[in-house]
Amino acid sequence: MKSIVRHNLVLMRLARGAVYDFTRFSNYAAIAPRFKNQSQFDAILVKEYHKVEKGLSLPSPRRFFGQPVLRKVLRMLDSEYGRASAFRDAALGSIAAYVKFHEQLEPPEGSAGLLKALGDLRGAWQGTEERGGVQTVRKADITRDGEIDFGKFVRSRHSVREFEPGVIPISTFEQCVTEAMYAPSVCNRQSARCYLIQDKSVIDRALALQNGNRGFSDQIENLVIVTSDLSAFNTSGERYQSWIDGGMFAMALVFALHSRGIGSCCLNWSQNPDADKALRARMPIADADNVIMYIAVGELRDEFEVCRSMRKPLTEVLKEI
């Protein structure tokens, strides 16, 4: 009987958590007929002009592709949010690349009006060409720049729970976050955010809501809270995308820290709604941000203990279809 009661309690908590996630997504994702804020607008603008970039990056771009998308981008740029968007230049740069790709080609019937509207923006896109569109890269450059033993690098990283005292310079975090921003994200919408805490009393308030730091919380003098902005998503199929994008960003950040000899430990935020609400009451986290995880960060000691953390056999992970 007790096991049945426990099972039912788990199901009730699961249902409550699912309703909480549904409510947050419906409140903050860009699924309403009108944009509620600049963040929602910017995310969808990026999604749309990125379709143009993707089309131009194909081995053989279809001539005069994506005209409905371009019309939508033009309407968006002509709006109040469009004129204020931080991604306006990138959208204009994509339009510039599109026009230049097609300017020697005879437009199909019915396309003249759109192409004229795009061409009329020629003055606006001057200087934006390197902000959007496509660029040429060379295999030799990628090979040269990627000349590290990645297997050795990734095997040398461990979850660290012993740190040297002291805070990491802000400039170091700025460099690492800048590099982590190059992690893949859906349609390049870059929903990931991170909050850096270096005040020990504030760190302790945050750690009190997370149950994976017991035994070494006194070591943590640098704490990062990784989040993902729900405003970046606009379809029901993207209801889980914030955790995917935020997780990829977090992994890139951990590797950026590791490349500088800085230790880290990912602390999960698999919490119930009460803990999530309590964290938001204690920390100035944006309402639209989903909390993905904490990351404890610190300088490495000269010598310390880590878990062996044996990996599964490759055959259990790699499957041929």
Side-chain angles (χ1 to χ4, degrees):
M1 179 62 71
K2 288 183 179 180
S3 63
I4 295 175
V5 172
R6 282 197 297 269
H7 178 69
N8 288 339
L9 284 173
V10 169
L11 291 179
M12 289 174 61
R13 291 184 185 126
L14 176 62
R16 184 164 174 259
V19 170
Y20 181 71
D21 293 339
F22 166 81
T23 303
R24 284 184 47 74
F25 189 84
S26 61
N27 283 344
Y28 299 114
I31 56 177
R34 297 175 183 270
F35 297 112
K36 298 177 183 177
N37 52 54
Q38 189 74 51
S39 293
Q40 287 186 347
F41 178 91
D42 286 351
I44 305 309
L45 178 62
V46 171
K47 179 181 179 180
E48 295 303 323
Y49 81 68
H50 191 57
K51 294 176 183 177
V52 178
E53 294 181 322
K54 287 188 290 186
L56 291 171
S57 71
L58 295 174
S60 299
R62 181 168 52 86
R63 294 184 176 187
F64 299 99
F65 68 90
Q67 293 187 42
V69 171
L70 284 158
R71 289 188 176 93
K72 183 174 182 178
V73 170
L74 287 176
R75 290 195 301 272
M76 294 182 76
L77 290 177
D78 195 39
S79 69
E80 182 180 352
Y81 283 136
R83 289 186 285 274
S85 177
F87 293 93
R88 183 178 178 85
D89 282 357
L92 288 169
S94 297
I95 289 173
Y98 185 92
V99 172
K100 289 181 179 180
F101 179 79
H102 291 99
E103 59 188 356
Q104 302 301 323
L105 303 175
E106 186 68 26
E109 186 177 348
S111 300
L114 171 64
L115 294 176
K116 182 180 184 306
L118 297 176
D120 288 345
L121 289 173
R122 191 177 298 273
W125 78 49
Q126 296 299 322
T128 68
E129 289 89 339
E130 294 186 2
R131 303 295 299 274
V134 293
Q135 60 182 337
T136 301
V137 298
R138 294 172 176 79
K139 178 181 178 180
D141 294 337
I142 293 175
T143 302
R144 180 200 64 218
D145 295 340
E147 282 183 348
I148 65 167
D149 186 335
F150 185 74
K152 187 175 182 180
F153 173 80
V154 74
R155 287 183 178 90
S156 69
R157 193 216 157 258
H158 304 274
S159 291
V160 178
R161 296 174 177 87
E162 296 182 60
F163 301 115
E164 284 287 342
V167 298
I168 305 294
I170 297 293
S171 59
T172 300
F173 277 109
E174 290 175 341
Q175 292 167 358
C176 291
V177 171
T178 298
E179 292 165 6
M181 287 166 60
Y182 284 86
S185 65
V186 61
C187 297
N188 198 37
R189 277 176 268 173
Q190 305 168 63
S191 71
R193 305 282 184 271
C194 59
Y195 297 81
L196 172 63
I197 311 172
Q198 294 183 309
D199 181 320
K200 184 57 178 165
S201 64
V202 180
I203 289 173
D204 289 342
R205 288 203 298 274
L207 292 176
L209 297 168
Q210 199 277 339
N211 56 13
N213 60 84
R214 189 174 301 167
F216 74 105
S217 61
D218 61 308
Q219 301 272 320
I220 303 173
E221 296 185 56
N222 306 270
L223 183 69
V224 173
I225 301 178
V226 176
T227 69
S228 176
D229 183 1
L230 288 172
S231 300
F233 311 109
N234 71 324
T235 70
S236 61
E238 294 178 332
R239 62 195 182 278
Y240 300 127
Q241 192 65 41
S242 64
W243 286 284
I244 296 168
D245 281 13
M248 295 178 77
F249 172 87
M251 189 73 263
L253 179 57
V254 163
F255 279 151
L257 291 163
H258 182 54
S259 73
R260 289 168 172 78
I262 298 172
S264 64
C265 183
C266 296
L267 303 171
N268 79 72
W269 187 247
S270 302
Q271 294 289 13
N272 59 44
D274 290 339
D276 195 73
K277 292 175 183 177
L279 177 64
R280 295 173 189 282
R282 299 181 188 188
M283 305 291 155
I285 294 172
D287 292 341
D289 282 9
N290 259 352
V291 178
I292 307 301
M293 68 176 71
Y294 292 0
I295 304 177
V297 180
E299 291 284 357
L300 296 174
R301 294 183 176 182
D302 291 338
E303 191 173 71
F304 50 94
E305 303 296 319
V306 298
C307 302
R308 291 191 184 276
S309 300
M310 188 186 82
R311 293 319 193 227
K312 292 180 178 180
L314 179 62
T315 53
E316 289 191 25
V317 179
L318 177 61
K319 304 292 183 180
E320 294 186 49
I321 299 177

